[in-house]
C-alpha cells in the first residue's frame, strides 16, 4: 500500500469502444514519498540549469516530472522500466523514449541525480555494484554543459580560469558532457532523437514490433512520453494506425501529458475553438487501449496507471496510452497556485520556455519553496543576476551541489542508489530469443557481389518455427533481350537477403506492395505477432511518413551486447518517387541518430519506385523528377543513392552498397530509384565495360572513345528512359561521326569509393569540363558533382525549360522532357559539333578571369 493509506485509485479506461469508463484499480506498494522527493529535486535541478544558462524549456519538463520519475523508479513489478543505469544501452533493457524532446531538461536533471547517487555510494563503500562508467553517466559537473557544444566545453574552464577550482574537480574525470537542447539517443536511457513534428514518437511502433518479431519475452516494453500538441502532427497521427496495424499490444505504452498548452497557444478552445476535440476518444477510436488520469502530476495516479498497463491482458493486441491531465509549469512546492513571497505560479503556454530573469523574483520563489522543503540555502540567488561568466559558473556549480546535497538527507541517496541497483540487476543478460543474438547475418559472404548467383536459382527455404519447407526461386540477373524493368529486380534482391539472413529484411510500404515490386521479398508472407512472426512484409496503410518511421524503429534496435556489432534487422520502405519527400524527415533524424549512436544499428532503405517522368499515365502529380533528389540532402558518405536503368544493374549495385553499409557504421541509409516501365535487358557484351557486375563500381563505361578519331566529350547518363534511348541512339550517332564516351551513372557514392585509377579511367576530373548529362532527373541536382560551366547548356534534363511537365502517355511525356531518341540524337550531335567552340569559350573565360 502507498504511504498515503489509500488502497485504490480511480482511473478511466476504454474497453473496446471509444467510450471512456471509470474503474478502480489497486494501488501497488511503492515508495511514494521517495518518488516525490526525487521529483522535487529533479524539478529544482532543471530550473537551476535554465536559470544560469538562460535558455531551455521550463513548463513542459516540470509537467513531465512525475511521468519520468515514476517510469524509472516505480519498478518493473509496478509497470516501470527495467533498465540498468550502469549499462544504459543494454540491448535487453526496456526502451524509454522522451519523444517530447524539448522536455529533456527533466531527464538531464534526473540522470544527474541518479549518477550522483551511485557515484557517492560507490565512493563511500567501494562496492562495484554501485559503479557507473563516468563516460556514460551524468554528473553534477555536466550542469555546465547544458545547451553547449562539446568543442566549447573543452576549454570553458581554462578560458574562465577555473581549471584548478575545487568546485570543478569532477571535470578531471572525463571533461564536461554536452547536453543538447532536445533529447537524443546518445542520452543514457533515452532511445529517441525527439523533437520535430512528432517524429520521435512515430518510431515507437517499429521498436515494439521488433521485439515481437525477434521472439522476445513479453515483459520487454517501450514507454514513450509526449504532449498533446506534438501528437496532433501528421507523423503522430499516422503512428496511431501504425501501432494498431502491427498489433503491438501492451508492449507499447505511451504516456501523454495533456495540459492543453503549446508554445504560444491552447489547443482546445483556441486552435480548435469548439470543445469537440476529444483526445482520449480519438485514440480509442483508432483502436488503442486508453487510460485517462484526472491528475498525472499525482504520483499515486501515475503509478496506478503504470501498474494497470502492466497487469493488462497480454492477449489484447491494442497498444496502450495514458492520457493524463498535467499542469504545464507544475511545481511541487506551489500551493493553490502560489509560491513563497506571494508570487503567482506561472503555468500554461506562458511557462513554455525558460523566460525568467537570472536570479529573478520567480526563480527565487521556486528556490525558496525547495529550501523550505529540504532545509537548504542556495548561495547568491538573492543578489541579482550574475554578469561575470566565471562567477556565474561558480554560482551554478555551487547551487547544483547544494541541491544535490538533499541526497545526503534522510537516506534519500542511499535509497536511490539501492533502487537503481535493484532495478538494474533485473536486466536479463541471456534473454531467450528465436534468433542468434551474437551473429550479424548481414555479414554473410553470400551477400557479397562476387558470390551472387548469376543464373536463375531455386533453393529450399525452411520455416524457422514450423519446419515447413518450400522452394524459392531467384533471378538476380536476367538474360539479355528479356523485357523487364529495374523495378522487377527489387523483390529479387530483398528475397535473396531474406533467404541468406533467415528473414531479417523487413518491408513496410504503402498499400502498393505489388506496384513497387516489394511484395515477393518476404519468404513467409505478412508478419503477424501472433500467427507469423517470421513474416517480413508488414501490413501498412498509405502513410509514407508513418511507414518510414516504423521502418526506422525496426532498424534502430540491436540484440548484440557488443556495441560494435549490430544484430537485428534491416528495413525498407517505399512508395512512388514523387511521394518520398514525405519520408525525408524521419530518415534525416535517423541519419543523425545513426551517426552518433553509441551502439551499431541497422540500415534503413528507401525505395523511390515509379520515379522519373515515365510515371506518365498517372499525371504529373506522380512524376518522381524533383522529389527523389531530396535523398542527396545528407552529409556526404552517410547515404548511398542508387539510380538504376537496367535490370542487371540492380543486384550488382545494391549488394555493393549493402556490403559497404554492413561494414561501415557511417552509412545508415540506402536509397534505390527505379522507374515503372519494362525495357529490354541490355546486352553488356556490346559495352566497353563488359563486366556483368559493372554497376557495383558506381559509374561504368558503356561506350568508350574511338582512339583513332577526335574526341568530342563525355556523355553521363542517368535514369531509365534517358539511358535506354541514348544506348539505342549510339549506332546512329556513330554513323554521324560523333565520338563520345558514354558513362552510366548508377551511384556517385559507389564511384567515389573506387580506386583512383578506376575513377580516372572512367571520368577524370578534367573530363567534367567537356561533359553533358542526359537524365530523367533535373538540372538542379546533377548525378555527378563538380560539373563544368557549360554542362547545363548542353545537357538534357526533365526540367530543360524550367517548367513542370504536363502528362499523357509515356511516349508523350518522354518527348516533352526531350528524352526521346530524336531529342537525344540532336543534343549529342550538337554537343559533338560544338566541341572546339565549347572548349575555346571555357578557355577564354578562364584566361579572362585569371588576367
Amino acid at each position: 500500500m502507498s504511504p498515503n493509506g489509500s488502497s485504490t485509485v480511480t482511473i478511466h479506461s476504454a474497453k473496446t469502444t471509444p467510450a471512456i469508463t471509470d474503474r478502480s484499480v489497486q494501488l501497488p506498494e511503492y515508495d511514494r514519498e521517495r518518488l516525490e522527493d526525487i521529483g522535487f529535486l529533479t524539478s529544482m535541478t532543471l530550473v537551476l540549469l535554465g536559470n544560469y544558462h538562460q535558455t531551455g524549456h521550463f513548463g513542459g519538463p516540470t509537467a513531465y516530472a512525475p511521468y519520468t520519475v515514476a517510469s524509472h523508479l516505480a519498478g518493473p513489478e509496478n509497470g516501470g522500466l527495467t533498465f540498468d543505469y550502469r549499462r544504459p544501452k543494454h540491448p535487453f533493457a526496456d526502451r524509454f523514449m522522451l519523444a517530447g524532446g524539448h522536455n529533456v531538461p527533466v531527464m538531464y536533471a534526473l540522470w544527474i541525480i541518479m549518477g550522483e547517487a551511485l557515484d557517492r555510494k560507490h565512493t563511500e563503500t567501494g562496492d562495484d555494484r554501485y559503479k557507473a562508467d563516468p563516460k556514460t553517466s551524468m554528473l553534477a559537473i555536466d550542469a555546465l554543459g547544458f545547451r553547449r557544444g562539446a568543442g566549447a566545453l573543452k576549454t570553458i574552464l581554462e578560458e574562465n580560469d577555473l581549471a584548478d577550482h575545487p568546485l570543478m574537480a569532477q571535470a578531471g574525470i572525463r571533461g564536461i558532457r554536452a547536453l543538447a537542447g532536445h533529447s537524443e539517443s546518445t542520452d543514457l536511457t533515452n532511445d529517441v532523437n525527439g523533437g520535430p513534428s512528432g517524429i520521435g514518437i512515430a518510431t515507437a511502433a517499429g521498436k515494439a514490433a521488433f521485439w515481437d518479431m525477434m521472439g522476445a519475452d513479453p515483459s520487454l516494453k517501450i514507454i514513450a512520453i509526449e504532449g498533446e500538441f506534438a501528437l496532433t502532427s501528421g507523423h503522430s497521427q499516422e503512428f496511431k494506425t501504425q501501432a494498431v496495424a502491427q498489433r503491438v499490444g501492451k508492449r507499447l505504452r505511451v504516456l501523454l501529458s495533456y495540459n492543453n498548452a503549446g508554445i504560444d497557444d491552447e489547443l482546445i478552445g483556441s486552435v480548435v475553438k469548439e470543445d469537440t476535440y476529444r483526445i482520449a476518444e480519438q485514440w480509442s477510436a483508432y483502436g488503442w487501449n486508453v487510460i485517462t488520469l484526472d491528475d498525472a502530476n499525482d504520483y499515486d495516479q501515475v503509478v496506478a496507471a503504470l501498474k494497470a498497463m502492466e497487469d493488462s491482458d497480454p492477449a489484447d493486441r491494442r497498444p496502450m496510452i495514458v492520457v493524463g491531465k498535467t499542469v504545464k509549469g507544475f511545481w511541487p512546492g506551489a500551493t493553490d497556485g502560489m509560491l513563497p513571497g506571494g508570487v503567482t505560479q506561472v503555468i500554461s503556454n506562458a511557462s513554455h520556455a525558460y523566460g525568467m530573469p537570472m536570479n529573478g523574483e520567480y526563480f527565487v520563489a521556486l528556490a525558496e519553496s525547495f529550501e523550505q522543503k529540504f532545509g537548504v540555502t542556495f548561495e547568491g540567488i538573492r543578489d541579482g543576476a550574475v554578469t561575470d561568466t566565471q562567477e556565474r559558473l561558480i554560482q551554478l556549480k555551487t547551487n547544483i551541489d547544494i541541491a544535490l546535497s538533499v541526497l545526503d538527507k534522510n537516506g534519500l541517496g542511499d535509497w536511490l542508489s539501492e533502487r537503481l541497483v535493484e532495478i538494474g540487476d533485473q536486466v536479463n543478460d541471456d534473454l531467450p530469443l528465436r534468433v542468434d543474438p551474437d551473429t550479424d547475418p548481414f555479414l554473410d559472404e553470400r551477400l557479397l557481389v562476387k558470390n551472387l548467383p548469376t543464373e536463375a536459382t531455386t533453393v529450399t527455404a525452411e520455416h524457422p518455427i514450423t519446419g515447413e519447407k518450400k522452394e524459392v526461386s531467384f533471378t538476380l540477373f536476367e538474360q539479355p533481350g528479356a523485357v523487364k524493368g529495374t523495378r522487377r529486380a527489387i523483390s529479387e534482391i530483398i528475397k535473396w537477403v531474406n533467404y541468406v539472413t533467415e528473414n531479417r529484411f523487413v518491408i513496410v510500404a504503402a498499400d502498393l506492395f505489388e506496384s513497387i515490386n516489394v511484395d515477393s521479398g518476404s519468404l513467409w508472407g505478412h508478419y503477424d505477432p501472433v500467427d507469423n512472426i517470421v513474416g517480413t512484409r508488414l501490413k501498412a496503410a498509405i502513410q509514407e511518413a508513418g511507414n518510414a518511421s516504423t521502418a526506422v524503429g525496426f532498424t534502430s534496435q540491436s540484440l548484440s551486447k557488443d556495441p560494435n556489432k549490430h544484430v537485428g534487422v534491416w528495413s525498407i520502405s517505399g512508395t512512388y518517387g514523387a511521394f518520398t519527400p514525405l519520408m525525408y524527415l524521419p530518415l534525416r533524424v535517423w541519419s543523425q541518430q545513426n551517426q552518433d549512436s553509441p551502439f551499431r544499428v541497422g540500415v534503413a532503405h528507401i525505395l523511390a519506385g515509379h520515379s522519373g517522368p515515365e510515371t506518365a499515365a498517372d499525371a504529373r502529380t506522380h512524376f518522381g523528377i524533383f522529389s527523389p533528389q531530396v535523398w542527396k540532402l545528407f552529409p556526404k558518405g552517410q547515404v548511398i543513392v542508387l539510380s538504376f536503368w537496367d535490370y542487371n544493374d540492380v543486384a550488382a549495385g545494391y549488394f555493393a552498397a549493402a556490403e559497404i553499409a554492413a561494414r561501415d557504421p557511417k552509412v545508415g541509409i540506402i536509397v534505390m530509384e527505379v522507374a515503372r516501365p519494362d525495357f529490354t535487358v541490355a546486352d553488356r557484351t556490346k559495352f566497353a565495360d563488359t563486366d556483368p557486375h559493372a554497376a557495383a563500381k558506381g559509374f561504368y563505361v558503356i561506350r568508350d572513345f574511338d582512339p583513332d578519331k577526335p574526341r568530342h566529350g563525355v556523355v553521363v547518363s542517368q535514369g531509365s528512359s534517358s539511358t535506354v534511348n541514348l544506348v539505342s541512339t549510339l549506332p546512329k550517332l556513330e554513323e554521324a561521326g560523333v565520338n563520345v564516351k558514354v558513362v552510366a551513372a548508377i551511384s556517385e557514392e559507389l564511384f567515389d569509393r573506387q580506386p583512383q585509377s578506376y575513377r580516372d579511367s572512367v571520368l577524370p576530373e578534367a573530363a567534367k569540363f567537356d561533359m553533358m548529362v542526359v537524365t530523367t532527373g533535373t538540372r538542379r541536382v546533377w548525378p555527378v558533382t563538380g560539373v563544368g560551366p557549360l554542362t547545363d547548356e548542353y545537357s538534357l534534363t526533365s526540367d530543360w525549360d524550367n517548367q513542370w511537365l504536363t502528362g499523357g502517355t509515356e511516349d508523350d511525356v518522354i518527348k516533352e522532357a526531350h528524352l526521346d531518341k530524336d531529342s537525344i540524337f540532336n543534343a549529342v550531335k550538337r554537343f559533338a559539333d560544338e566541341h572546339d567552340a565549347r572548349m575555346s569559350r571555357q578557355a577564354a573565360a578562364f584566361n579572362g578571369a585569371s588576367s
Side-chain angles (χ1 to χ4, degrees):
M1 183 180 296
S2 172
N4 70 349
S6 173
S7 60
T8 62
V9 172
T10 299
I11 63 176
H12 319 281
S13 62
K15 298 294 186 180
T16 57
T17 71
I20 308 295
T21 58
D22 293 351
R23 67 185 175 105
S24 295
V25 299
Q26 188 72 28
L27 183 62
E29 292 187 4
Y30 79 105
D31 292 301
R32 187 184 71 181
E33 185 176 331
R34 295 299 196 187
L35 265 64
E36 288 178 336
D37 285 350
I38 295 295
F40 204 160
L41 177 54
T42 297
S43 296
M44 190 67 243
T45 303
L46 75 87
V47 164
L48 287 167
L49 297 178
N51 179 62
Y52 289 106
H53 290 283
Q54 286 292 288
T55 185
H57 296 83
F58 168 67
T62 58
Y64 275 32
Y67 272 161
T68 56
V69 171
S71 61
H72 279 77
L73 297 177
E77 69 278 8
N78 293 324
L81 292 162
T82 301
F83 74 101
D84 192 345
Y85 188 97
R86 301 160 300 181
R87 301 176 296 167
K89 298 303 181 184
H90 195 290
F92 303 150
D94 290 340
R95 297 292 184 259
F96 172 72
M97 301 175 65
L98 190 70
H102 70 278
N103 297 288
V104 73
V106 71
M107 289 312 307
Y108 290 150
L110 182 57
W111 287 322
I112 287 173
I113 293 163
M114 291 175 170
E116 284 291 327
L118 288 171
D119 183 61
R120 295 174 187 203
K121 192 69 172 178
H122 181 253
T123 300
E124 175 191 341
T125 65
D127 189 338
D128 283 349
R129 292 191 307 130
Y130 306 105
K131 185 177 182 179
D133 185 348
K135 292 181 180 179
T136 59
S137 184
M138 287 189 187
L139 299 168
I141 192 66
D142 298 324
L144 278 67
F146 182 56
R147 289 198 159 208
R148 296 301 305 272
L153 292 173
K154 289 180 180 179
T155 58
I156 189 171
L157 297 182
E158 288 80 2
E159 290 172 356
N160 291 283
D161 197 24
L162 293 172
D164 298 321
H165 197 290
L167 273 175
M168 310 299 174
Q170 213 174 42
I173 300 173
R174 51 91 167 111
I176 302 170
R177 183 168 180 159
L179 308 181
H182 281 70
S183 61
E184 297 207 355
S185 61
T186 53
D187 301 328
L188 276 118
T189 58
N190 180 53
D191 193 41
V192 65
N193 284 29
S197 194
I199 190 57
I201 197 76
T203 62
K207 290 177 184 288
F210 171 82
W211 287 121
D212 286 333
M213 185 176 283
M214 296 298 100
D217 187 272
S219 64
L220 278 174
K221 58 185 175 291
I222 286 83
I223 294 181
I225 306 181
E226 185 57 281
E228 83 283 343
F229 253 101
L231 289 176
T232 65
S233 69
H235 296 96
S236 305
Q237 295 296 317
E238 293 190 358
F239 160 66
K240 289 179 181 176
T241 301
Q242 293 287 318
V244 172
Q246 306 318 323
R247 304 181 68 208
V248 295
K250 73 174 188 177
R251 200 185 284 281
L252 174 57
R253 307 172 193 182
V254 176
L255 305 179
L256 191 159
S257 175
Y258 178 33
N259 47 55
N260 197 34
I263 300 173
D264 302 309
D265 209 343
E266 296 178 348
L267 179 59
I268 311 301
S270 183
V271 174
V272 179
K273 191 69 175 176
E274 289 76 19
D275 185 17
T276 55
Y277 196 85
R278 310 290 185 183
I279 290 179
E281 285 82 353
Q282 287 178 24
W283 289 83
S284 178
Y286 268 78
W288 283 63
N289 192 343
V290 181
I291 294 174
T292 66
L293 300 180
D294 293 330
D295 184 1
N297 292 136
D298 177 84
Y299 283 88
D300 279 356
Q301 292 194 34
V302 173
V303 173
L306 292 173
K307 180 63 170 173
M309 289 191 288
E310 182 68 17
D311 293 343
S312 64
D313 184 1
D316 185 343
R317 302 309 301 186
R318 293 177 298 163
M320 304 196 75
I321 184 170
V322 174
V323 180
K325 292 182 180 178
T326 59
V327 175
K328 190 164 189 173
F330 167 72
W331 191 252
T335 303
D336 297 327
M338 300 300 294
L339 295 168
V343 176
T344 301
Q345 186 179 1
V346 177
I347 61 172
S348 193
N349 54 280
S351 70
H352 180 79
Y354 192 93
M356 289 78 79
M358 187 186 303
N359 293 344
E361 179 186 45
Y362 196 74
F363 167 75
V364 171
L366 297 174
E368 286 182 348
S369 69
F370 184 85
E371 291 173 329
Q372 293 170 13
K373 165 72 174 175
F374 294 105
V376 298
T377 302
F378 292 116
E379 295 185 8
I381 66 172
R382 295 165 183 86
D383 300 331
V386 184
T387 57
D388 179 76
T389 300
Q390 183 192 62
E391 290 302 315
R392 178 179 59 83
L393 295 174
I394 289 173
Q395 193 174 120
L396 164 61
K397 182 58 167 55
T398 297
N399 286 330
I400 283 287
D401 289 345
I402 290 172
L404 292 171
S405 71
V406 170
L407 292 172
D408 302 324
K409 295 177 178 288
N410 196 28
L412 184 61
D414 289 339
W415 176 86
L416 179 55
S417 58
E418 291 293 343
R419 188 63 170 151
L420 291 171
V421 169
E422 177 189 0
I423 293 172
D425 286 348
Q426 296 181 58
V427 174
N428 186 353
D429 282 340
D430 299 306
L431 190 75
L433 299 162
R434 74 165 183 86
V435 301
D436 178 4
D438 298 318
T439 301
D440 181 356
F442 294 95
L443 296 178
D444 193 301
E445 291 198 351
R446 289 174 291 175
L447 298 178
L448 300 179
V449 175
K450 64 182 181 180
N451 295 331
L452 297 175
T454 56
E455 303 291 334
T457 304
T458 300
V459 300
T460 300
E462 181 175 345
H463 195 287
I465 296 177
T466 66
E468 174 191 350
K469 295 182 179 180
K470 69 176 181 180
E471 290 190 344
V472 182
S473 61
F474 305 90
T475 307
L476 296 177
F477 296 92
E478 265 292 356
Q479 295 299 312
V483 181
K484 281 189 177 181
T486 52
R487 70 184 177 107
R488 307 292 183 187
I490 297 300
S491 275
E492 300 302 305
I493 61 172
I494 298 174
K495 189 165 44 172
W496 180 252
V497 175
N498 271 324
Y499 169 69
V500 171
T501 64
E502 297 184 350
N503 311 296
R504 304 283 275 278
F505 200 171
V506 175
I507 309 161
V508 50
D511 184 25
L512 37 73
F513 283 104
E514 184 177 359
S515 178
I516 61 172
N517 284 83
V518 295
D519 56 314
S520 299
S522 175
L523 303 183
W524 300 104
H526 279 105
Y527 159 81
D528 183 88
V530 177
D531 300 324
N532 189 22
I533 63 172
V534 299
T536 56
R537 188 171 68 237
L538 273 58
K539 294 286 188 179
I542 302 177
Q543 297 182 329
E544 279 80 6
N547 291 332
S549 299
T550 294
V552 164
F554 268 93
T555 303
S556 66
Q557 305 301 290
S558 180
L559 304 173
S560 174
K561 292 188 284 291
D562 178 355
N564 296 313
K565 178 191 295 185
H566 174 252
V567 180
V569 302
W570 288 9
S571 63
I572 183 168
S573 188
T575 185
Y576 281 66
F579 310 147
T580 57
L582 292 166
M583 299 173 164
Y584 177 75
L585 179 56
L587 272 293
R588 177 180 69 80
V589 175
W590 159 247
S591 180
Q592 294 168 346
Q593 181 177 340
N594 174 72
Q595 172 183 283
D596 299 315
S597 178
F599 57 92
R600 278 295 302 269
V601 290
V603 181
H605 296 63
I606 295 296
L607 175 61
H610 302 322
S611 277
E614 292 96 336
T615 316
D618 277 336
R620 60 185 176 182
T621 55
H622 287 55
F623 290 173
I625 297 172
F626 288 93
S627 298
Q629 295 183 337
V630 302
W631 300 107
K632 288 288 188 178
L633 304 181
F634 291 87
K636 189 174 183 180
Q638 296 196 17
V639 62
I640 296 177
V641 180
L642 304 159
S643 182
F644 300 121
W645 74 273
D646 183 68
Y647 185 100
N648 286 340
D649 281 333
V650 178
Y654 171 72
F655 285 104
E659 178 180 348
I660 294 168
R663 292 158 179 82
D664 182 354
K666 186 177 181 181
V667 180
I669 302 171
I670 296 175
V671 178
M672 294 181 283
E673 185 176 355
V674 295
R676 172 184 285 177
D678 288 318
F679 295 103
T680 302
V681 176
D683 182 355
R684 291 173 182 261
T685 63
K686 298 180 180 179
F687 291 175
D689 188 340
T690 60
D691 180 4
H693 297 153
K697 296 175 284 192
F699 290 4
Y700 61 88
V701 180
I702 292 176
R703 182 195 186 276
D704 209 344
F705 292 115
D706 184 334
D708 298 325
K709 296 179 180 179
R711 298 182 176 188
H712 293 147
V714 178
V715 181
V716 173
S717 187
Q718 184 180 70
S720 289
S721 294
S722 48
T723 308
V724 169
N725 287 340
L726 173 61
V727 170
S728 65
T729 306
L730 288 178
K732 184 177 178 181
L733 287 167
E734 292 175 0
E735 290 178 5
V738 172
N739 185 25
V740 292
K741 176 191 278 191
V742 176
V743 175
I746 307 303
S747 171
E748 187 174 26
E749 292 79 17
L750 291 182
F751 185 62
D752 285 345
R753 289 175 178 263
Q754 303 309 308
Q756 185 67 49
S757 58
Y758 177 78
R759 285 181 282 150
D760 288 343
S761 71
V762 174
L763 188 66
E765 287 298 311
K768 295 178 181 179
F769 292 91
D770 191 15
M771 179 180 74
M772 69 173 288
V773 174
V774 180
T775 176
T776 52
T778 77
R779 61 204 307 180
R780 295 282 184 159
V781 180
W782 299 106
V784 59
T785 56
V787 302
L790 298 183
T791 297
D792 179 75
E793 181 178 329
Y794 285 88
S795 293
L796 293 177
T797 64
S798 293
D799 64 334
W800 63 274
D801 59 349
N802 295 316
Q803 298 286 326
W804 296 103
L805 298 176
T806 56
T809 66
E810 181 188 329
D811 287 343
D812 293 339
V813 177
I814 294 303
K815 185 172 291 186
E816 183 184 358
H818 286 193
L819 295 173
D820 59 290
K821 295 176 184 178
D822 288 344
S823 296
I824 289 174
F825 174 82
N826 293 331
V828 176
K829 181 68 164 55
R830 171 180 168 245
F831 175 73
D833 290 345
E834 298 180 10
H835 173 267
D836 293 345
R838 184 174 68 252
M839 300 305 289
S840 296
R841 285 173 58 194
Q842 291 182 101
F846 178 78
N847 292 331
S850 302
S851 61

